[in-house]
Amino acid sequence: MSFQAPALWPEGVIARYATYAAELLQDANVTVDVTTEDLRTAGRCRGCGTSWGNYSCYEHTVKKWAQEHAEKCRALPRPTA
């Protein structure tokens, strides 16, 4: 099985980082997403739900946090069905 990225990113996402869990499970949907909206840059893990960022955060700072978090996060998203 090979790791393939999803075809479309959610609206507003400007960067995406595959988590450690995504690599282990070959699931491209377990990511840390970085968004920018209304001058607010934030990151949110789709695995564990942790988020970080605010109005005073620079985009590169949030991207750095997102990449560091993704490298070690092993959490899986809660099933929806």
Side-chain angles (χ1 to χ4, degrees):
M1 181 186 327
S2 63
F3 184 80
Q4 295 183 4
L8 297 174
W9 287 4
E11 189 173 332
V13 172
I14 61 169
R16 210 166 211 205
Y17 301 88
T19 64
Y20 186 68
E23 293 178 34
L24 290 173
L25 299 172
Q26 301 295 302
D27 183 350
N29 294 308
V30 186
T31 59
V32 179
D33 295 346
V34 176
T35 58
T36 298
E37 185 177 329
D38 297 328
L39 302 175
R40 180 178 190 259
T41 303
R44 186 167 199 284
C45 180
R46 296 175 70 191
C48 70
T50 301
S51 59
W52 191 82
N54 59 42
Y55 288 101
S56 63
C57 286
Y58 292 108
E59 183 178 315
H60 69 274
T61 304
V62 178
K63 285 181 178 178
K64 183 176 188 271
W65 169 84
Q67 183 169 6
E68 290 172 355
H69 181 83
E71 289 172 357
K72 55 189 166 188
C73 185
R74 296 175 182 200
L76 301 175
R78 182 181 206 141
T80 56

